[in-house]
Amino acid sequence: MNFFNRAIRSVTRQKSKSMILFAVIFVLGNILAGSVIIQQSTQNVEKTTKEQMGAIATVGIDWSNPKNEKVIEQMTADEYSALTEKIIQKIADSPYVKNYDYSEQTGYNSKLLKPYDPAADKKAEEPDNGADGGFVNTYIPVRGVQDPKIMDIALGKIKLVDGSIFTADDISKGANVVFISKKFAEKNGLHVGDEMTIDQTTEGMVNPEKAESSEPVKSFDTKFKVVGTYDVLEQVQKKSGQSGKASNDSVVHAAAFPGGSPQDMFDFDNYNTIYMPNKAVHNMSQGFRKFLQAEMPEVMSGVSQEDIDAADKPYYTPIYQLKSVDDLDKFKADTKPLLPKNYSVMASTDEFDNIAGQFNKLSKIAKAVIIAAVLLSIVLILLVILLFMRDRKRELGIYLSLGDKKSHVILQIMVEVLTVAIIALVISLTTGKFLGSFASEAFLSSDSGQSANGGMSGSMMSSSAMFNTGIAVDADTIAKNYAVSFTPFYIVTYLLAGLSTVIVSVLLSTLYIFKLKPKKILLG
């Protein structure tokens, strides 16, 4: 009888020993399977969330980093405007960049134009809600574009509804043309082809000592032609019957909304951002500055000539869309040597680790449990095999004395253990999934109190807005993306880990077989 047949008969005849081995491997397999599926799930939620955030990067001064506060205070005007078009375009030559644009951005308080308030509409749509809702806000964001195709359209954030986008000639000449949202246009009775006045007012610039005076608010008016209107992604998805995702704008200096949520703030920016050529933004800003110098010299009295000269230079915020989220780290490394002093690369995914704190903790725990489970499995399975082989020492000695090779005896033990192990591992593949689901839910629930106090209560909305990602990512978004489920990768990974552990245990146990001396066993 060959070793394979002997192994199968041994498993079926020695039922009690087979059941003990099965129980040991099954219990250890559940621990290993639960840990593996938790690890896979945390990796999947990170990948899914970062893909939602987009492979977007920008270059600039990191104003949010507390370490940069002293450095920023000591920066000269020239250092503030060191990021030139030449450097921006050189960075864009990176093989990781799929699309890019750069923008001069500003904003203003308007008396003539009324912003559209999506929060008010949402509240009005709610049943039994008589509140007017919305924010009282007059700050309208303006974003310059260099790419006439408008990057937000390329990213799928907004969609052309009426009219057209900018022409290359509009961009190069800095024509006074604008691209506005359909909702904003309707709010102000504007249509494609109409003339629109942007009134940059002096409201809030009055000297506090003269605040009680009746000095009138002045404005610097610039005429623009409306060439097209757009709809934001949220509205486009609703019309097409797809599940909508909130579309966020990339205005860095978003206005403050008393009592409003970050999502309301970004929705407001989505519908009220005015797109125009970069040169038009710069010309409008310079015109307003000169207007202030002439009409309100006291406002500009404390500004040095160096600062005035620096203000004449455009300050661009570049946006780079990369080919893949996986390219972000490589893009950062390649771009760093090209950056001016005090500038850095900031990616849309930088805030993930800060927001997903509890998932990172869960991932680390799962890794530690996997390592511990593998080591414990090797030790326990080895001890069980050695214990069984000691009981079968005479049987093994007979095989060897009859001329059977030690390699055949080793293969017999291997087949016996693997037969039981495969059954135990396949069953624990399913039960381990439920164990992993239960363990992760228990952990996340126990950590929810800390999350409410700041661990996961933050959001990446500011980051999303700055980087043009088109989705507001917060703790709830990450939690919704987390799911413990079967995947081919999980099944293959777990079975390979489990079988490898069993094989290592068997191979270590063969040291005992090599020490066996048939003659001593039979005479003993």
Side-chain angles (χ1 to χ4, degrees):
M1 185 182 298
N2 61 37
F3 69 87
F4 183 82
N5 291 331
R6 291 202 307 262
I8 299 302
R9 290 197 176 189
S10 178
V11 170
T12 54
R13 286 180 178 177
Q14 302 182 53
K15 292 183 177 63
S16 59
K17 291 182 179 180
S18 296
M19 289 302 297
I20 292 172
L21 181 61
F22 172 87
V24 170
I25 296 176
F26 178 73
V27 171
L28 295 172
N30 273 279
I31 298 173
L32 183 60
S35 304
V36 169
I37 202 166
I38 289 174
Q39 177 65 11
Q40 297 281 320
S41 300
T42 53
Q43 289 177 349
N44 288 339
V45 73
E46 179 175 357
K47 182 179 178 181
T48 302
T49 304
K50 286 185 175 180
E51 285 176 351
Q52 288 179 335
M53 295 172 72
I56 308 295
T58 187
V59 173
I61 301 167
D62 189 357
W63 306 97
S64 63
N65 189 343
K67 296 179 181 178
N68 290 341
E69 287 182 4
K70 292 183 179 179
V71 176
I72 292 171
E73 289 174 2
Q74 298 171 356
M75 286 179 65
T76 64
D78 287 337
E79 287 176 327
Y80 276 115
S81 56
L83 189 65
T84 62
E85 290 180 83
K86 185 177 179 181
I87 295 175
I88 291 172
Q89 290 166 354
K90 191 172 182 179
I91 294 171
D93 292 335
S94 168
Y96 305 115
V97 174
K98 177 182 179 181
N99 189 20
Y100 84 105
D101 196 10
Y102 52 96
S103 171
E104 184 166 3
Q105 302 176 6
T106 186
Y108 68 99
N109 289 299
S110 177
K111 290 291 186 182
L112 296 177
L113 297 173
K114 299 176 182 178
Y116 166 71
D117 188 355
D121 277 2
K122 287 180 182 177
K123 290 183 179 181
E125 290 173 0
E126 292 176 2
D128 302 323
N129 191 346
D132 292 335
F135 297 111
V136 178
N137 184 60
T138 58
Y139 186 88
I140 299 177
V142 176
R143 184 189 312 156
V145 298
Q146 194 65 28
D147 184 353
K149 296 188 295 292
I150 304 180
M151 192 172 183
D152 282 355
I153 293 179
L155 290 173
K157 286 186 61 206
I158 59 176
K159 180 180 180 180
L160 175 67
V161 178
D162 295 313
S164 65
I165 55 178
F166 304 129
T167 65
D169 195 50
D170 290 336
I171 299 295
S172 62
K173 291 182 178 179
N176 282 10
V177 290
V178 293
F179 187 59
I180 60 177
S181 79
K182 184 179 179 181
K183 293 289 187 181
F184 181 84
E186 291 173 350
K187 184 77 174 180
N188 292 278
L190 295 169
H191 304 86
V192 173
D194 288 354
E195 185 178 72
M196 184 180 85
T197 300
I198 290 183
D199 57 321
Q200 294 172 282
T201 70
T202 60
E203 187 175 13
M205 296 183 180
V206 180
N207 190 320
E209 296 178 0
K210 300 180 181 179
E212 296 180 359
S213 67
S214 58
E215 184 175 340
V217 174
K218 302 175 182 178
S219 68
F220 175 73
D221 298 345
T222 310
K223 305 290 185 181
F224 288 87
K225 179 183 177 182
V226 178
V227 296
T229 60
Y230 66 84
D231 222 345
V232 299
L233 178 63
E234 184 178 21
Q235 298 301 313
V236 173
Q237 287 181 333
K238 282 181 181 178
K239 288 179 181 177
S240 63
Q242 299 173 11
S243 57
K245 292 180 181 177
S247 176
N248 299 326
D249 199 66
S250 66
V251 178
V252 178
H253 52 264
F257 293 85
S261 71
Q263 183 62 59
D264 289 336
M265 178 180 71
F266 292 122
D267 284 343
F268 182 94
D269 283 342
N270 286 338
Y271 289 97
N272 293 288
T273 295
I274 298 176
Y275 296 87
M276 65 176 70
N278 273 329
K279 285 185 180 179
V281 177
H282 188 70
N283 293 338
M284 186 178 72
S285 298
Q286 294 307 305
F288 184 57
R289 182 176 62 79
K290 291 175 182 177
F291 170 78
L292 290 178
Q293 285 178 312
E295 299 292 330
M296 302 181 67
E298 68 275 11
V299 174
M300 306 295 291
S301 60
V303 182
S304 66
Q305 186 60 44
E306 182 185 6
D307 290 336
I308 291 175
D309 293 339
D312 286 333
K313 300 177 183 178
Y315 184 87
Y316 294 120
T317 301
I319 294 290
Y320 300 96
Q321 181 190 17
L322 306 189
K323 296 174 182 176
S324 169
V325 173
D326 298 330
D327 293 334
L328 282 168
D329 289 336
K330 291 176 281 188
F331 174 75
K332 284 184 178 183
D334 287 357
T335 303
K336 190 175 181 180
L338 304 175
L339 300 181
K341 183 181 177 182
N342 300 320
Y343 279 74
S344 60
V345 179
M346 294 166 282
S348 55
T349 59
D350 286 347
E351 290 299 310
F352 178 84
D353 290 337
N354 295 334
I355 304 302
Q358 65 188 117
F359 289 97
N360 290 334
K361 271 193 247 176
L362 187 60
S363 178
K364 290 177 182 177
I365 292 172
K367 284 181 184 177
V369 173
I370 289 173
I371 295 172
V374 168
L375 294 177
L376 184 63
S377 297
I378 291 173
V379 173
L380 290 180
I381 295 172
L382 174 62
L383 291 175
V384 171
I385 294 172
L386 288 176
L387 181 64
F388 289 168
M389 284 199 298
R390 283 177 65 86
D391 290 342
R392 298 171 59 189
K393 184 167 65 172
R394 183 170 293 276
E395 174 193 344
L396 300 177
I398 293 172
Y399 294 149
L400 295 174
S401 65
L402 293 175
D404 204 358
K405 296 179 181 178
K406 286 186 177 181
S407 60
H408 287 177
V409 175
I410 293 171
L411 287 173
Q412 177 184 338
I413 301 298
M414 182 77 76
V415 172
E416 289 178 15
V417 176
L418 285 178
T419 300
V420 176
I422 289 172
I423 298 172
L425 290 174
V426 169
I427 296 175
S428 61
L429 185 69
T430 302
T431 55
K433 183 256 184 183
F434 293 106
L435 177 65
S437 179
F438 174 78
S440 58
E441 285 179 11
F443 175 82
L444 296 176
S445 297
S446 66
D447 203 43
S448 60
Q450 297 178 12
S451 301
N453 293 325
M456 279 276 289
S457 61
S459 77
M460 283 173 276
M461 289 184 178
S462 59
S463 160
S464 298
M466 181 175 181
F467 296 111
N468 234 3
T469 60
I471 181 171
V473 178
D474 56 11
D476 290 336
T477 305
I478 298 175
K480 288 175 183 176
N481 288 337
Y482 182 81
V484 177
S485 58
F486 283 112
T487 62
F489 188 62
Y490 157 64
I491 295 171
V492 172
T493 301
Y494 166 64
L495 290 178
L496 285 177
L499 291 174
S500 298
T501 301
V502 173
I503 291 171
V504 169
S505 301
V506 175
L507 291 177
L508 289 174
S509 70
T510 58
L511 297 174
Y512 176 80
I513 295 175
F514 279 114
K515 290 182 180 180
L516 292 176
K517 301 295 180 184
K519 190 174 181 180
K520 285 186 178 181
I521 293 172
L522 294 176
L523 290 175

